[in-house]
Amino acid sequence: MPSPSAAPPSGHASAPGLRWDVFCQVIDNYGDMGVCWRLAADLASRGHAVRLWTNDAGALAWMAPWGTPGVQVLPWPAAAPADGPGDVVVEAFGCEIPGAFVASMAQPGPGRARPPVWINLEYLSAEGYVERCHGLPSPVLHGPGTGLTRWFFYPGFTPRTGGLLREPALAARQARFDRAAWRAGRGIAADALAVSLFCYEPPALAQLLQRLAAVSGGAHLLVTPGRAAAALRALQGPGGAPAAAAPGAHRGVLVAWLPACPQPAFDELLWACDLNFVRGEDSLVRALWAGQPFVWHIYPQDDGAHRAKLLAFLDWLQAPASWRQAHLAWNGMAPAASLPPLGPAELRQWHACALRARDRLLAQADLLTQLLGFVDGKS
Ligand code: TRH
């Protein structure tokens, strides 16, 4: 993990850009850190200095094992830092910044005429409220931050939202990527169907294996570690589970068990596959940039709010009927048996739709470009 000592201690005071404090509370899964790390790394690549404060940096050991110059990873602070807060403070996903830190934001400091710009970076959704709430202020009326203003910044899919994270180097990296070599190196024939699996416990997993077994030309299922691998193993039943790293044919599908890899390699997995099963928030965005067909396993919420969120996304995507059906079945919102076939006709249609969606997104400014403009307008 890029611990405080392993990460470059410099950057914070010397970079030509702004000084940022990004707060990331890891609750479960990897999305909180996945998003915060991409934001921090993107900021650093554009000349800003970032302190990334987190309660759990564990996932960075595989997600970003080398760290990146300009980003310092620090433990959740109990007290305000000696040199005070940065120019911008980002509270990711409504995590509560420690009171002592907030108090330091409210106090004038040397060379600081005004408080930092305080951003609450929200969860991603395609629902209508996002356009209405994006950029709204929330004045702090009590507690250590009294008198400060927090600004709501909503990622989203339309020009009237904060957009999606897309680092400036992404297009060039993607253009340089040798898809054929990546696949050949893993024994995946050009005409075989390569499918990545990153999910929770999808009710239609058995049906997915059936659909893949029926694919002419053969299918490869590339399974990410953790919940996806556990769900597949559970399906194979006692005694049926292969050794952790043993690839092999299961129910007519070639299965490869992947190790956890750094974010750039995860991106490449999505670029190389013909169909990506993704989940949560960050991998959905990366699947959109990949421009390949995908099926999104949305993070399930206890109150069922994820249903409206999924439907809003499918509407924005303008997904054809079979693609909508795949999402509903995969997310348990339709019978598992209604998972559509994964034939060439379906995938061609989904692919065309995915490319159109990507084009719409590429015509919009990325999240960080928008955030920098927003901060500029508030400083
Ligand atoms: O892990 P997730 O399910 O995260 C979720 C969502 O963000 C959800 O909205 C949130 O409420 C919940 O966490 C707490 O899925 P997500 O968002 O795609 O994050 C996974 C990250 O892990 C992403 O940045 C990609 C990265 N990753 C790798 O870098 N290497 C890997 O090998 C794998 C499997 C993932």
Side-chain angles (χ1 to χ4, degrees), residues 123 125 127 129 298-310 331 333:
Y123 285 103
S125 175
E127 290 163 287
Y129 73 83
I298 192 167
Y299 186 75
Q301 288 167 262
D302 291 340
D303 58 3
H306 56 285
R307 184 184 169 88
K309 195 169 163 172
L310 177 66
N331 283 281
M333 297 174 194

Side-chain angles (χ1 to χ4, degrees), residues 27-35 38 62-63 93 123 198 200 224-225 259-264 266 279-284 286 299 309:
I27 299 169
D28 62 359
N29 300 311
Y30 311 130
D32 303 298
M33 186 52 84
V35 170
R38 288 208 199 266
W62 46 268
M63 207 182 262
F93 310 122
Y123 285 103
F198 183 46
Y200 307 115
T224 58
C261 64
Q263 275 183 338
F266 181 75
R279 75 183 201 196
E281 178 161 334
D282 186 62
S283 57
L284 169 68
R286 304 314 279 194
Y299 186 75
K309 195 169 163 172

